[in-house]
Amino acid sequence: MKIVEKSSKKQDIEFKPNIVCFCCNWCSYAGADLAGVSRFQYPASIRIIRVMCSGRVEPAFILKSFKDNIDGVLVTGCHIGDCHYISGNEFTKDRFERLTKILKFLGLEDRFRLEWISASEGKKFAELITTFTNQIKKLGPLNNI
Amino acid sequence: MVIKGKLREYLNNCYQCAMCSGICQMGRIQKYTPSRIIQLIIEGFEDRIVESGMLWDCLTCNSCLEKCPYEVNFAEIVRDARNKMLDARIMPKIAHKGFYTLLSEIMSKENITPEKTFEWVPSGCKVSEEGNILYFVGCAPLFNYEFDESMNNAVDTLKILCKIENEPIVLLKDEKCCGHDLLWQGKIEAFKKLAIHNIKAFERSGASLIVTSCAEGYRTLKIDYPSMFENFNIEVKHLVEYLYEKLKANKIKFKKEKKNTKILKLTYHDPCRLSRFLPKSFNIYEKIRYIFKELEKIGYVYNEMVHNKSNSLCCGVSCWLNCSDKAKALRYHRMLEAKDVADNLITTCPKCEIHFRCLQNDTETVQDINVIDLSNLLENVIEVIPSKQNK
């Protein structure tokens, strides 16, 4: 995660958040692709990491991102019932409900979101990135709250 | 990378009697044993030790120090080497994908102030933010993420404290992790940040006594904080010590439970942080045996395991490092020992408890033994003797 360079810390330059977005190979990544192909505009604040299934995303990945000063983390996967591996995203849901409690304790729960995006929802993907980026912009950078 | 100062003194004291290698619990399966490692460092092969990453496998159970005639503190050499291994980017394999270590590391950032919720506080317990007696909860609420029973320990300890003390018990809202795991994983910078935050929080609360129910937390608060920060001088007591003093002062006694007619056979697992990691004068393992002696009077049966007190075997995992088949074999061995003499395995370390329970999910032969924390056992049997002066 160290490849992601932080933008300049000077206040007069607009804060550009760094957001890590985990996309599942079968739905969300295709959705992100569709958003690109259809030329929907969204901020260039995200770094997409493709995983085979949202169930692959360990809670430790989220914590590792926060530890390395990433401002926000998105996890996206197929809608419940649509998982390519039948029940992968159900595990994800259960897992991140537990993680949210921990993040609440650390005061980071606003910086993390779990969303379902299917391959046909390019528009939704673009909107999600826009709203989430705005949300993170309001919260400010993680390393100097 | 040359070891200096106190550690160098340790090394020079070693005369290769290899007692440590004989007692080392990993020694049977390791390529290098403690005495060999010390010899290699003295001969100038420290880099080779660091590069091989072999010291990540050390349990830091301190059995070697117990037997050493010259008190060569091998665990501290390991801690120092781990710090160097991190610098050399030789990474350990941390259990649970490093989840709990990452939590501590995030907490060590100055701009993150955790906010604990007190939903778990049982009704009838008075808690406040300022007062005399502080209960250091530690990471139990965080373990709740995977281990559903992890809070029982904290709940019961708080119940005991509230029963004995008249004043409200202090619980800190912004209490951070004590940093034990980071310290023993060699992340000393992060540990110091956590310690500074905690010491400030302790002082703000105005507490004169800190009680903890966690073995690792106790060792860290009692030994490591004062050794690094001289201004920290609040008294720290483990629940065992606290109850022992109350028993001696005739403030509490144990009463028999009415419902429970079955005779409970108990045995006690000494966590390394409460026996070998403390100076001999602390004598916690005798204090807890006094508590068991008192319990015997009300009908419990207490049996000692083959390896006990400072000789006790390790649960196999400390500071979330190297939970592997080897560690599980050690733990299995320990549980069989317990099974021979009792049906209830008592411990005072939440992590030992978690690890023993975890093994029970895997192995059928040890499933019938009941692993419980001391506070869970005592919660129902403690009775306060009303003081005569008040009447």
Side-chain angles (χ1 to χ4, degrees):
Chain A
M1 305 254 175
K2 284 214 168 131
I3 313 158
V4 185
E5 290 275 321
K6 285 246 80 160
S7 53
S8 172
K9 280 174 195 166
K10 282 178 191 169
Q11 282 187 341
D12 50 317
I13 299 170
E14 199 197 351
F15 163 55
K16 284 180 191 159
N18 278 324
I19 296 169
V20 168
C21 176
F22 292 95
C23 286
C24 98
N25 182 42
W26 304 101
C27 297
S28 315
Y29 197 75
D33 235 7
L34 185 68
V37 170
S38 330
R39 302 204 172 189
F40 295 128
Q41 296 288 317
Y42 63 81
S45 56
I46 59 160
R47 272 63 172 171
I48 292 180
I49 297 173
R50 184 173 64 159
V51 286
M52 287 312 277
C53 176
S54 55
R56 173 67 185 88
V57 185
E58 304 261 357
F61 294 175
I62 316 295
L63 295 183
K64 183 95 191 340
S65 324
F66 284 134
K67 193 203 123 199
D68 292 341
N69 284 331
I70 295 296
D71 302 305
V73 182
L74 270 170
V75 176
T76 53
C78 311
H79 286 272
I80 296 284
D82 286 353
C83 181
H84 188 80
Y85 305 99
I86 298 161
S87 60
N89 50 9
E90 284 165 23
F91 286 117
T92 320
K93 198 180 162 216
D94 176 56
R95 212 179 218 178
F96 287 111
E97 268 167 17
R98 278 163 177 265
L99 181 72
T100 316
K101 280 183 204 160
I102 303 268
L103 290 179
K104 218 174 242 170
F105 158 74
L106 293 171
L108 295 171
E109 84 272 26
D110 293 337
R111 294 176 180 272
F112 167 74
R113 204 192 279 184
L114 175 66
E115 286 282 342
W116 309 128
I117 288 166
S118 80
S120 59
E121 290 174 327
K123 183 97 186 156
K124 190 182 166 190
F125 183 83
E127 276 164 10
L128 170 69
I129 302 300
T130 319
T131 50
F132 192 65
T133 308
N134 289 339
Q135 187 185 328
I136 299 294
K137 267 186 188 167
K138 256 182 217 163
L139 288 170
L142 179 62
N143 55 353
N144 48 4
I145 304 172
Chain B
M1 272 199 267
V2 182
I3 288 181
K4 283 177 198 159
K6 208 166 101 193
L7 294 183
R8 175 54 70 182
E9 234 168 72
Y10 286 143
L11 290 172
N12 292 342
N13 278 341
C14 175
Y15 62 71
Q16 291 291 310
C17 66
M19 284 279 248
C20 45
S21 301
I23 198 74
C24 180
Q25 302 190 25
M26 291 298 265
R28 278 169 256 168
I29 35 178
Q30 282 302 66
K31 193 177 168 194
Y32 291 104
T33 50
S35 60
R36 281 302 297 146
I37 292 170
I38 290 174
Q39 182 65 24
L40 280 171
I41 296 175
I42 292 173
E43 282 169 4
F45 295 108
E46 200 199 330
D47 288 347
R48 218 168 88 193
I49 303 273
V50 169
E51 276 158 28
S52 69
M54 65 177 93
L55 286 180
W56 285 124
D57 292 337
C58 176
L59 294 172
T60 60
C61 68
N62 235 2
S63 300
C64 39
L65 178 64
E66 197 60 35
K67 293 285 168 206
C68 183
Y70 266 105
E71 298 193 351
V72 177
N73 200 333
F74 188 67
E76 272 187 24
I77 295 171
V78 170
R79 200 164 76 183
D80 189 64
R82 282 183 176 173
N83 195 358
K84 284 171 187 166
M85 283 194 275
L86 283 180
D87 288 346
R89 311 282 299 161
I90 297 159
M91 292 307 186
K93 208 181 152 195
I94 306 176
H96 302 261
K97 317 280 175 198
F99 184 83
Y100 298 103
T101 321
L102 280 169
L103 274 179
S104 312
E105 273 177 274
I106 291 179
M107 262 190 255
S108 74
K109 292 182 181 203
E110 280 134 12
N111 49 32
I112 286 185
T113 5
E115 235 189 89
K116 294 203 165 173
T117 50
F118 295 142
E119 301 155 347
W120 57 274
V121 172
S123 58
C125 288
K126 276 187 247 160
V127 292
S128 72
E129 287 195 17
E130 282 182 0
N132 261 329
I133 294 161
L134 187 146
Y135 172 43
F136 186 77
V137 188
C139 11
L142 297 180
F143 292 169
N144 219 356
Y145 165 71
E146 264 172 306
F147 312 101
D148 294 332
E149 287 148 335
S150 69
M151 272 324 274
N152 295 358
N153 170 5
V155 170
D156 285 345
T157 311
L158 192 63
K159 274 185 193 166
I160 291 175
L161 287 177
C162 287
K163 214 186 256 184
I164 297 174
E165 300 293 338
N166 294 322
E167 49 187 316
I169 307 294
V170 184
L171 290 177
L172 291 177
K173 254 200 173 145
D174 58 341
E175 163 196 302
K176 285 189 180 180
C177 161
C178 68
H180 168 273
D181 298 346
L182 293 182
L183 178 66
W184 289 96
Q185 284 178 14
K187 294 163 186 164
I188 293 171
E189 283 309 306
F191 168 76
K192 279 185 181 160
K193 280 183 196 162
L194 287 173
I196 288 169
H197 176 94
N198 277 338
I199 290 173
K200 268 184 200 159
F202 291 151
E203 279 167 1
R204 216 180 307 128
S205 71
S208 58
L209 172 68
I210 300 170
V211 181
T212 167
S213 58
C214 165
E216 293 179 334
Y218 175 73
R219 143 87 201 188
T220 314
L221 293 181
K222 187 94 186 173
I223 312 269
D224 295 325
Y225 277 21
S227 73
M228 285 194 191
F229 305 93
E230 281 166 4
N231 58 346
F232 178 69
N233 45 21
I234 305 173
E235 205 183 357
V236 185
K237 273 181 191 163
H238 192 272
L239 187 70
V240 173
E241 249 181 335
Y242 176 81
L243 290 176
Y244 171 80
E245 276 162 27
K246 293 283 170 196
L247 272 175
K248 278 274 174 189
N250 259 334
K251 287 208 173 126
I252 53 168
K253 64 176 181 188
F254 297 135
K255 63 153 199 279
K256 203 172 183 176
E257 268 184 284
K258 281 168 198 165
K259 293 176 214 162
N260 217 342
T261 46
K262 214 176 113 192
I263 297 168
L264 286 175
K265 275 189 189 170
L266 311 176
T267 188
Y268 176 65
H269 167 74
D270 288 271
C272 50
R273 261 67 180 166
L274 270 196
S275 52
R276 294 181 290 259
F277 265 87
L278 299 171
K280 291 234 161 61
S281 57
F282 281 54
N283 220 358
I284 296 239
Y285 43 81
E286 291 302 338
K287 284 177 186 166
I288 187 146
R289 272 157 187 86
Y290 179 81
I291 294 178
F292 284 123
K293 232 175 235 171
E294 292 289 310
L295 280 174
E296 276 185 327
K297 286 179 194 164
I298 61 161
Y300 287 94
V301 178
Y302 177 74
N303 289 325
E304 205 69 81
M305 277 190 260
V306 182
H307 292 89
N308 57 47
K309 294 180 188 173
S310 56
N311 246 340
S312 76
L313 295 182
C314 181
C315 74
V317 179
S318 72
C319 58
W320 301 112
L321 279 180
N322 52 54
C323 182
S324 60
D325 291 350
K326 296 172 191 168
K328 279 194 177 159
L330 281 174
R331 213 175 305 156
Y332 182 62
H333 196 65
R334 184 61 170 166
M335 288 200 85
L336 285 186
E337 260 185 23
K339 206 181 156 192
D340 284 344
V341 292
D343 6 273
N344 288 283
L345 178 59
I346 317 290
T347 179
T348 40
C349 173
K351 277 200 195 139
C352 290
E353 194 190 336
I354 285 172
H355 293 134
F356 283 134
R357 285 218 177 113
C358 165
L359 185 73
Q360 283 183 320
N361 295 336
D362 293 355
T363 323
E364 270 182 27
T365 37
V366 291
Q367 259 169 12
D368 45 349
I369 186 159
N370 191 11
V371 184
I372 40 178
D373 190 86
L374 185 76
S375 57
N376 303 141
L377 177 77
L378 295 184
E379 199 269 312
N380 291 320
V381 295
I382 282 186
E383 198 179 54
V384 181
I385 302 174
S387 60
K388 281 162 194 167
Q389 291 165 343
N390 290 350
K391 278 185 181 175

